[in-house]
């Protein structure tokens, strides 16, 4: 319905002519006065269709109460205002504030002519546009951290992320800082590149003629595979025939264990005269005589180390492994020595060949024994004395003692591998090191002959080598001049004669 002023009246509104029922009394005297007529109270706010138009009555919304128990208004003459009207400043007519805020005629017309909202739309509008929401947002803004602290937190998070990424890259990328670290972590992707600088002495050039002779050996001994490494300590010339390949170590693993023992002695962490007691789990079959000793038998540490090499005693080796901290500690030492393939994986006897080494690693171990940087002079003499007293001289050392050569060696023998590593001093002053490991069918005796053949050929080359003659600096022969007896000049002779005491006749007493 539309009244005289152009306003639309819904049923129950003051201008509709219909009764609003029981809720009419709760609206106060003003509601009763407008029931059934078009009377508009004087204190009722007016709506303006246009800024210059006359005020007209505002349509009265449907009288519904959101809360039935809401008490009546204290001021009966005060009109109820919608939530949209409550947000405009007091005293501003409805529609004027909207027109002023929007600033254009089409928007003002839409604000004036918009029909009243229903109860459901008003409830939804109240939920979405609650006047208390801006206060909550302002409360949240007041709890924000200061900008410097916020920036600092972001920097910390970024730094932790960069550190995590860097740590991941360091663990994934290969490290080339030292050959020792590369030996400790053996990559399954590819073997490390051969580096001459990692060897104990500078390597010069490979003896191609000697290597060619060794490469023909498989034709003479089918079924046998020899891996060897030879180096001339004086010149640095070498021969590498699969010398870096890993192979079962057998008893040659005891050679780097001996080096680790005397290194601990030089560091003062082990006393060579301290007593060691055989434990039941240390007794081992195979070579050596300590296996017949009862558990609890005591030996000095030096005696245990000596028997480990001289008689290749397996029980003594197990005692030495425990003394030096076990397999993990020894493997760390082997890596520090630059031994790329030497790994101690189990106690002795290692009949299955789980402990590994290489011919180059064994040669490296013997070179470290002879250097001043590794052992003291006393420990070096002890090691060489022990190696010279080994019982087994039937491989590389065979026949060399008759030629006045000194040999310091350690052998290894299991069913699948036979090997020997030796330091040889010849009568002409030449010193060389050779290590040979032969893979063979089970206990094939031809491996003994093959190792002896290799040793004999190396001896011939080293014995024919001419040693460089180094003359003293004050030796006349070093300048190429003839050795002539020194002569004195005439003036020097006269001067020397003038320095002699004059002859005096003996004193004779005339009174006699």
């Amino acid at each position: 319905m539309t009244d005289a002023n152009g306003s639309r009246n819904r049923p129950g509104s003051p201008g509709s002519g219909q009764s609003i029922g029981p809720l009419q009394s709760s609206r106060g005297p003003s509601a009763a006065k407008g029931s059934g007529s078009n009377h508009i109270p004087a204190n009722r706010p007016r709506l303006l269709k246009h800024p210059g138009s006359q005020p007209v009555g505002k349509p009265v919304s449907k009288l519904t109460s959101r809360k039935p128990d809401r008490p009546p208004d204290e001021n009966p003459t005060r009109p109820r205002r919608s939530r949209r009207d409550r947000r405009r400043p007091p005293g501003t007519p409805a529609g004027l504030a909207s027109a002023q805020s929007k600033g254009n005629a089409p928007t003002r017309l839409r604000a004036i002519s918009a029909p009243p909202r229903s109860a459901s739309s008003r409830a939804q509008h109240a939920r979405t546009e609650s006047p208390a929401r801006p206060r909550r947002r302002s409360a949240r803004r007041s709890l924000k951290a200061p900008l410097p602290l916020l920036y600092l937190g972001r920097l910390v998070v970024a730094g932790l992320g960069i550190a995590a990424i860097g740590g991941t890259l360091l663990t994934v990328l290969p490290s080339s800082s030292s050959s020792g670290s590369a030996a400790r972590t053996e990559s399954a992707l590819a073997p490390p590149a051969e580096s001459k600088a990692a060897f104990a002495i500078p390597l010069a050039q490979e003896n191609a003629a000697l290597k060619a002779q060794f490469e023909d050996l498989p034709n003479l001994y089918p079924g046998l595979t020899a891996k060897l490494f030879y180096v001339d300590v004086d010149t640095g010339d070498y021969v590498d025939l699969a010398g870096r390949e890993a192979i079962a170590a057998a008893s040659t693993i005891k050679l780097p264990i001996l080096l680790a023992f005397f290194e601990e002695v030089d560091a003062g962490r082990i006393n060579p005269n301290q007593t060691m007691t055989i434990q039941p789990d240390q007794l081992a079959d195979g070579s050596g005589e300590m296996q017949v000793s009862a558990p609890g038998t005591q030996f000095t540490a030096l005696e245990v180390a000596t028997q480990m090499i001289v008689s290749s005693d397996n029980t003594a080796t197990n005692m030495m492994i425990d003394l030096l901290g076990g397999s993990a500690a020894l493997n760390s030492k082997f890596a520090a020595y630059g031994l790329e393939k030497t790994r101690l994986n189990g106690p002795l006897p290692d009949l299955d060949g789980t402990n590994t080494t290489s011919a180059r690693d064994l040669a490296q171990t013997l070179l470290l024994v002879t250097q001043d940087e590794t052992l003291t002079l006393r420990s070096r003499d002890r090691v060489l004395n022990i190696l010279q007293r080994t019982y087994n001289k039937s491989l590389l050392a065979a026949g060399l003692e008759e030629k006045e050569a000194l040999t310091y060696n350690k052998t290894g023998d299991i069913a699948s591998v036979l090997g020997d590593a030796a330091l040889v001093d010849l009568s002409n002053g030449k010193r060389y090191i050779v290590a040979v490991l032969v893979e063979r069918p089970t206990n094939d005796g031809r491996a003994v002959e093959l190792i002896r053949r290799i040793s004999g050929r190396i001896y011939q080359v080293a014995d024919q080598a001419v040693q460089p003659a180094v003359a003293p600096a004050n030796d006349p022969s070093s300048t190429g001049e003839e050795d002539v007896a020194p002569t004195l000049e005439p003036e020097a002779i006269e001067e020397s004669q003038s320095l002699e005491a004059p002859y005096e006749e003996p004193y004779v007493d005339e009174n006699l």
Side-chain angles (χ1 to χ4, degrees):
M1 297 177 64
T2 306
D3 58 6
N5 295 328
S7 300
R8 298 182 62 185
N9 297 328
R10 290 175 296 176
S13 62
S16 64
Q18 298 180 6
S19 174
I20 61 176
L23 293 176
Q24 183 177 5
S25 60
S26 64
R27 305 299 296 176
S30 62
K33 184 183 294 186
S35 175
S37 65
N38 295 331
H39 174 73
I40 298 176
N43 59 353
R44 190 92 178 257
R46 303 291 181 175
L47 288 176
L48 295 179
K49 292 185 178 179
H50 297 285
S53 63
Q54 297 297 326
V56 296
K58 180 183 178 182
V60 180
S61 61
K62 187 176 181 179
L63 299 178
T64 56
S65 176
R66 295 175 59 202
K67 296 182 180 179
D69 55 349
R70 180 175 180 179
D73 295 337
E74 296 179 0
N75 187 5
T77 62
R78 180 181 177 183
R80 293 184 59 82
R81 301 169 63 189
S82 65
R83 293 183 180 274
R84 184 175 60 183
D85 295 339
R86 292 172 188 172
R87 288 196 292 271
R88 69 174 181 264
T92 305
L96 180 58
S98 175
Q100 292 175 355
S101 62
K102 299 300 179 180
N104 51 48
T107 306
R108 291 196 300 270
L109 291 177
R110 285 197 300 271
I112 295 172
S113 61
R117 294 193 179 103
S118 62
S120 60
S121 63
R122 287 199 306 272
Q124 182 178 4
H125 182 72
R127 287 194 300 270
T128 57
E129 295 183 19
S130 175
R133 184 165 296 176
R135 290 195 295 271
R136 288 198 297 270
R137 286 197 296 267
S138 62
R140 292 194 188 109
R141 285 195 297 268
S142 63
L143 296 177
K144 289 184 178 179
L147 288 179
L149 294 180
L150 181 61
Y151 293 153
L152 180 60
R154 291 177 179 175
L155 287 176
V156 171
V157 172
L160 292 177
I162 293 174
I165 294 173
T168 304
L169 292 177
L170 289 177
T171 57
V172 173
L173 295 178
S175 175
S176 58
S177 58
S178 64
S179 60
S181 61
R184 284 192 294 270
T185 307
E186 182 178 356
S187 175
L189 298 177
E194 183 175 355
S195 175
K196 296 181 180 180
F199 204 61
I201 62 173
L203 297 178
Q205 60 183 0
E206 191 167 14
N207 192 327
L210 186 59
K211 184 176 182 178
Q213 297 181 22
F214 294 152
E215 290 175 343
D216 292 337
L217 294 177
N219 299 328
L220 300 176
Y221 301 92
L224 302 183
T225 303
K227 305 178 188 298
L228 66 91
F229 192 90
Y230 157 78
V231 59
D232 189 326
V233 179
D234 300 320
T235 63
D237 295 342
Y238 68 98
V239 172
D240 187 350
L241 184 63
R244 300 177 71 108
E245 296 183 6
I247 189 174
S251 289
T252 59
I253 194 72
K254 301 170 184 177
L255 186 59
I257 294 176
L258 180 68
L259 175 61
F261 168 73
F262 279 100
E263 186 182 41
E264 292 296 305
V265 170
D266 290 342
R269 290 184 285 267
I270 292 179
N271 186 344
N273 295 321
Q274 70 184 56
T275 58
M276 298 179 62
T277 304
I278 297 179
Q279 303 299 325
D281 58 342
Q282 295 172 345
L283 294 173
D285 297 333
S287 57
E289 299 178 355
M290 294 180 64
Q291 58 182 313
V292 300
S293 301
T297 306
Q298 293 185 343
F299 299 89
T300 65
L302 184 59
E303 289 175 340
V304 173
T306 302
Q307 290 302 317
M308 178 180 67
I309 300 298
V310 173
S311 63
S312 194
D313 197 299
N314 293 329
T315 301
T317 305
N318 293 336
M319 295 175 65
M320 191 59 57
I321 292 173
D322 293 340
L323 177 64
L324 296 174
S327 300
L330 283 171
N331 287 333
S332 298
K333 284 184 173 294
F334 298 161
Y337 298 152
L339 309 182
E340 300 173 349
K341 305 298 182 181
T342 303
R343 296 291 183 274
L344 179 64
N345 298 316
L348 276 291
D350 181 28
L351 300 179
D352 296 331
T354 59
N355 300 325
T356 61
T357 188
S358 67
R360 178 187 171 101
D361 285 356
L362 295 177
Q364 169 90 339
T365 303
L366 289 172
L367 282 171
L368 292 175
V369 169
T370 62
Q371 290 184 342
D372 298 337
E373 294 81 3
T374 308
L375 299 177
T376 61
L377 179 61
R378 185 175 184 182
S379 293
R380 184 166 67 251
D381 291 343
R382 283 177 170 175
V383 171
L384 294 178
N385 178 269
I386 292 173
L387 292 175
Q388 191 178 12
R389 292 158 51 194
T390 54
Y391 294 160
N392 191 347
K393 299 287 187 181
S394 61
L395 297 177
L396 290 175
L400 296 183
E401 292 184 357
E402 290 79 1
K403 300 175 182 178
E404 299 180 354
L406 300 177
T407 57
Y408 313 89
N409 74 299
K410 180 67 191 79
T411 60
D413 183 3
I414 58 176
S416 59
V417 173
L418 181 66
D420 195 2
L423 168 67
V424 181
D425 284 332
L426 301 183
S427 59
N428 62 356
K430 174 67 69 176
R431 168 175 282 190
Y432 64 87
I433 291 175
V434 58
V436 182
L437 294 164
V438 179
E439 291 180 335
R440 59 178 179 175
T442 304
N443 293 324
D444 192 334
R446 295 179 301 158
V448 177
E449 182 182 352
L450 174 58
I451 294 176
R452 290 176 179 174
R453 190 183 188 100
I454 292 174
S455 177
R457 184 59 186 138
I458 292 176
Y459 171 80
Q460 292 177 2
V461 173
D463 187 55
Q464 296 173 2
V466 178
Q467 294 296 315
V470 180
N474 56 356
D475 190 352
S477 61
S478 61
T479 60
E481 298 179 355
E482 296 181 358
D483 189 4
V484 181
T487 57
L488 295 176
E489 297 294 335
E491 297 179 355
I493 296 175
E494 295 178 357
E495 182 178 359
S496 63
Q497 292 178 352
S498 63
L499 293 177
E500 296 178 0
Y503 174 76
E504 295 181 358
E505 295 181 358
Y507 172 75
V508 178
D509 189 359
E510 296 179 353
N511 297 327
L512 295 178

